Amino acid sequence: MRIPRFLASSLSNRVALHSVVSFLGNGIARLGGLVVAIAVAAVFGANESTDAFYLALAVTLYAFDIARIAFEGAVIPSVAMYLTQGRHVVDAFLGAAAKYWIIAAGLICVAALGVGLPLASGSPGTGAQAIRYGAALSLVLIPLGLSGLGNAVLLAEKRFFVPAVSNAARPAFAVVGLLVLPDSWGLWSLIVGYVVGGVVQLVVVITVLYHRGYRWSLEGSLKEAHAPLKLALPIVIGGLLINLNPVVDRFIVALALPASNVTIFENAFRTYGALTSLLYSSIGVVLISHWSSMYARRQYSRLARSLRGVGVISVVALLPITAVLVIGAEPIIDLVLGRGAYESADVAITASTFVMFAIGLWPFFAAGIGSRFLYATGKTFIAVTTASIAVVANLIADIVLLQWLGLQGIALATSVTYALVSLYVLYVLWTSVGGMEGRSATVDDDSS
């Protein structure tokens, strides 16, 4: 049986191989993140302290998630172009970008430690404890951002395993901290592990880049980073907006529902993410790298066929996976979290919350992969529009569905939000792809 041409183009040997490599690396990292959730649930259960820990983690990683999205959407396409000009151009960009990240993240750390710690010092309650945890976790932002910058360069080179595996350092050392530090440290042992893991991750990434011939001088001006910054600005603005959603969700849960619900919500989300974002993240970084290269070479028709092929594959693969996750929610959650201090009642609530996330799997995939296609072709404006839609839709859905379904309503609001965002992204893709096919009549799109 002959494979349709547009489907074959999206399943090229290199894309398939890179996807497998990225999948294996991301599998290690995602498993590490899930192990942290399992360890916290087994040792501490679900209570006010674990709520505070997850609130702090959500707020602290807010800044890094914005940077990560910008790195994927702007740095990978820019470096793909820079690599055609020579590595010295990439070195100049790395020096400038690293310097300004250190300045920005350093200011956040100083503000968190200098203001947050004194503000919460000696105060009881979940909020004060979350501030203390968050102030300490801010120390991980500098190594995380620099690692993300280096990983973006490796991804632009189509080297996917190290960036994926290096992300496992943080959860791995968090678990080590929990095992080796005294019990009296409690959740602080995880925070120490996160910070140490962030430094280890940075050392690994810098070492790999050094052996690849890159040199970071921490010199340079905004001139060297002008092109990526121009692409990144709408992505950063979009990231500032859309990454508010998980933070807002958790704070609504903390304010409107009884203690332990933040932890239950987090565990449902982390289990869902470990099982599904693994696929999304692995394929996403591979595709944006390949699509960026195709666009730089003006292989527009090939780009359009690749996107259509990915769309067909996603429908065929993800709808059955969604059914399995919905039907098997309770056994999955019980297998992952049903041990130690995590009670059977917590398992049941976590499973029903997990179902609400699971039904939004395909819209989440479609919105994310579609946005990456547009980033790869320079249309980063989409980030601001989709984020604006997401913030408004998520807030309205949170308020309405919280009254109807409680904790499960907040999870369902996430799925509803991505359904709306995916509709807009698919519309923009439809208009963009049609324009590309019209431009590609004189382009040799069979070149590698």
Side-chain angles (χ1 to χ4, degrees), residues 156-405:
E157 281 196 338
K158 300 183 176 65
R159 299 181 180 276
F160 300 99
F161 189 71
V162 170
V165 172
S166 69
N167 288 324
R170 283 172 289 126
F173 276 86
V175 174
V176 170
L178 185 63
L179 293 174
V180 303
L181 292 174
D183 292 343
S184 59
W185 284 49
L187 288 163
W188 285 104
S189 60
L190 286 167
I191 293 171
V192 171
Y194 266 115
V195 175
V196 173
V199 174
V200 171
Q201 179 182 4
L202 177 59
V203 170
V204 170
V205 172
I206 288 180
T207 301
V208 172
L209 285 174
Y210 183 85
H211 285 291
R212 293 290 305 153
Y214 293 100
R215 301 293 181 267
W216 289 15
S217 62
L218 295 183
E219 297 178 356
S221 64
L222 288 176
K223 179 181 178 182
E224 281 79 11
H226 178 263
L229 281 175
K230 185 177 179 181
L231 282 175
L233 182 59
I235 300 177
V236 169
I237 295 172
L240 285 168
L241 294 173
I242 200 167
N243 279 285
L244 277 175
N245 283 345
V247 177
V248 168
D249 289 346
R250 285 154 180 79
F251 273 93
I252 289 177
V253 171
L255 293 171
L257 297 172
S260 81
N261 275 274
V262 173
T263 301
I264 291 170
F265 183 87
E266 185 74 26
N267 284 335
F269 182 79
R270 280 176 171 258
T271 306
Y272 166 75
L275 295 173
T276 58
S277 292
L278 167 59
L279 179 66
Y280 161 76
S281 299
S282 302
I283 293 176
V285 293
V286 172
L287 288 177
I288 194 171
S289 177
H290 281 275
W291 284 338
S292 297
S293 295
M294 290 180 196
Y295 190 72
R297 293 178 174 85
R298 300 176 62 224
Q299 298 169 350
Y300 305 128
S301 181
R302 190 177 174 200
L303 262 173
R305 292 198 305 271
S306 178
L307 178 65
R308 288 201 172 98
V310 171
V312 171
I313 294 169
S314 71
V315 172
V316 172
L318 296 185
L319 294 184
I321 292 175
T322 299
V324 170
L325 295 179
V326 170
I327 295 170
E330 189 142 359
I332 290 170
I333 296 299
D334 187 54
L335 175 65
V336 174
L337 297 165
R339 61 184 57 82
Y342 210 67
E343 300 175 355
S344 58
D346 296 331
V347 169
I349 300 172
T350 306
S352 60
T353 307
F354 176 87
V355 168
M356 297 304 175
F357 284 123
I359 61 178
L361 174 59
W362 191 84
F364 174 75
F365 183 91
I369 297 296
S371 295
R372 278 162 174 72
F373 181 90
L374 294 168
Y375 296 163
T377 58
K379 297 178 178 64
T380 56
F381 71 88
I382 189 75
V384 177
T385 311
T386 55
S388 301
I389 295 171
V391 167
V392 174
N394 188 71
L395 185 58
I396 293 173
D398 275 349
I399 294 171
V400 173
L401 295 175
L402 174 66
Q403 307 300 320
W404 180 31
L405 294 172

